[in-house]
Amino acid sequence: MESNMYEKVLITKKFSSLIFASLLILWAELTWAAASAWRPIKAIEVVVPGGAGGGIDSTARAIQRVFQEKKLLETPFTIVNKPGGSASVGLTYLSQLPSDGHHIAMGSGALLTNHITGRSALHTSDFTPLVQLFSESISFAVRAESSIKSGRDLLARLKVDPGSVRIGLPSVASTNHIACALVLKSLGVDPKTLKTVIFNSSAAGITALLGGHIELVASPAANTISHIQAGTLRVVAISSEKRLGGAFAEVLTLKELGSNVVIGAFRSAIGPKGMSREAVAYWERLFSSAVQTKEWQDYLTRQSLENNFMDSKDSAIFLSNQYKELYEALSDLGLARTSMP
């Protein structure tokens, strides 16, 4: 009698446990389904930490066109330009916005270098990485009439007398600046001996080069294409992993020239700190769809950009590794003002 009663109790407990486990699974599935269906319910604000017409602005508007033309996004996509402080104004603004998935920004190397140089207290950990979009190689250009005829001529001159080459840059601690520092270091020359002239944009530096006021510009590759085609500038080296096509098909990479330097200005999408996993997944899927379109691929080709799409997880790893590399380069230039986190 007692044995039968024990068996009934045991069966009842097992049955109850089975029901409880089933309910847990059902709850988890319903929760996941609801979460994975997250999508914007209001207008998207895209922060561009730079002025209209600049490189970061161009990226945002190219993405906007793809989203709209391919009807990938059902809600309005509004670009808000926040220039100033080498992107620190725009990044500070983003950090103060709600992390509800309706606010994102275009990111660049300034996200890292501003913290390293002490320009901003904001670190990558204060944002949510969404995706990496592409890398923009740095071109080293001289006037068509320059005595520097090739990349080997340039490296030889920098090795012997780096001060004899005035280099135009858009800003201190920019990717362009860091690329020049890495080249000197690869030649066994102190990066601090670089002779730089800072302009308010790469375009202004190119104008100064054409006017004979400087000997070299280190500029995003796309900025030099029209001048190459016009025959007014000669690009003698490029910082890409392998040769670019189009106007740069015959330009040797720094690696080919014996300077083991590969660097590019990255473009990414980031959000405020604390975005939900579901919102991040939504933006990963959206950007992944956008970058596979012919329109986006054509944009990359026209601008001589290198596709390096990464999801949120890989983007976080990439940014961490980039921080370490840029920290070392800026330390060599005497510009690092913070300790490695």
Side-chain angles (χ1 to χ4, degrees):
M1 184 72 173
E2 290 180 359
S3 176
N4 289 339
M5 182 65 72
Y6 175 76
E7 288 177 358
K8 287 181 180 179
V9 170
L10 186 60
I11 291 172
T12 301
K13 286 184 176 179
K14 287 183 177 178
F15 185 68
S16 298
S17 297
L18 183 60
I19 291 175
F20 180 69
S22 298
L23 288 173
L24 276 178
I25 292 171
L26 179 61
W27 174 84
E29 289 178 344
L30 290 173
T31 301
W32 181 88
S36 63
W38 184 93
R39 61 180 56 251
I41 57 173
K42 59 182 180 180
I44 300 300
E45 179 181 13
V46 183
V47 181
V48 170
I56 301 177
D57 182 71
S58 170
T59 302
R61 296 185 190 280
I63 280 288
Q64 182 185 47
R65 283 192 297 273
V66 173
F67 282 169
Q68 292 175 342
E69 291 174 5
K70 295 301 180 181
K71 296 180 170 49
L72 298 176
L73 187 63
E74 298 174 357
T75 56
F77 185 91
T78 305
I79 294 174
V80 179
N81 292 90
K82 293 286 182 179
S86 295
S88 61
V89 171
L91 293 174
T92 298
Y93 174 74
L94 176 68
S95 71
Q96 298 167 349
L97 294 173
S99 57
D100 60 4
H102 294 88
H103 309 274
I104 65 172
M106 294 291 102
S108 68
L111 173 65
L112 311 177
T113 57
N114 281 351
H115 183 266
I116 295 170
T117 59
R119 183 177 283 124
S120 171
L122 293 171
H123 183 261
T124 54
S125 58
D126 295 306
F127 301 95
T128 300
L130 297 177
V131 296
Q132 289 296 311
L133 292 170
F134 60 77
S135 176
E136 185 174 30
S137 296
I138 306 303
S139 63
F140 295 79
V142 298
R143 284 194 304 160
E145 304 85 0
S146 173
S147 60
I148 300 173
K149 301 298 183 184
S150 66
R152 289 187 174 83
D153 286 347
L154 174 63
L155 297 187
R157 189 160 163 183
L158 288 173
K159 186 175 179 64
V160 173
D161 186 8
S164 68
V165 182
R166 293 169 296 177
I167 306 173
L169 300 169
S171 63
V172 173
S174 62
T175 304
N176 315 43
H177 192 183
I178 292 168
C180 294
L182 292 175
V183 169
L184 254 66
K185 186 174 182 179
S186 75
L187 297 172
V189 179
D190 184 355
K192 295 188 187 71
T193 61
L194 277 171
K195 189 168 185 179
T196 60
V197 182
I198 307 302
F199 298 92
N200 60 12
S201 67
S202 290
I206 289 174
T207 299
L209 176 63
L210 292 171
H213 305 293
I214 54 178
E215 284 73 45
L216 178 79
V217 290
S219 168
N223 291 351
T224 59
I225 293 176
S226 63
H227 301 283
I228 296 172
Q229 294 170 338
T232 54
L233 289 185
R234 180 170 58 252
V235 174
V236 296
I238 197 90
S239 71
S240 51
E241 175 69 34
K242 57 185 180 181
R243 290 194 200 186
L244 302 181
F248 303 97
E250 302 303 317
V251 179
L252 297 182
T253 66
L254 288 168
K255 284 183 68 174
E256 289 179 291
L257 292 166
S259 175
N260 194 27
V261 173
V262 176
I263 188 172
F266 68 82
R267 289 288 184 273
S268 63
I270 59 176
K273 183 177 181 177
M275 284 179 65
S276 69
R277 177 178 62 84
E278 297 75 30
V280 170
Y282 172 85
W283 284 110
E284 284 179 322
R285 290 193 300 271
L286 197 71
F287 277 107
S288 178
S289 296
V291 300
Q292 294 178 55
T293 64
K294 181 179 183 301
E295 289 77 4
W296 180 255
Q297 294 300 320
D298 288 346
Y299 169 73
L300 296 184
T301 299
R302 285 195 308 272
Q303 300 296 318
S304 296
L305 305 173
E306 300 164 86
N307 176 41
N308 69 339
F309 184 80
M310 302 177 204
D311 62 15
S312 177
K313 180 180 177 181
D314 288 340
S315 181
I317 295 171
F318 170 82
L319 290 174
S320 176
N321 291 336
Q322 278 283 289
Y323 188 97
K324 294 171 186 175
E325 292 175 14
L326 297 182
Y327 186 92
E328 181 179 351
L330 289 170
S331 294
D332 290 338
L333 282 166
L335 297 175
R337 298 288 182 265
T338 58
S339 301
M340 272 289 292

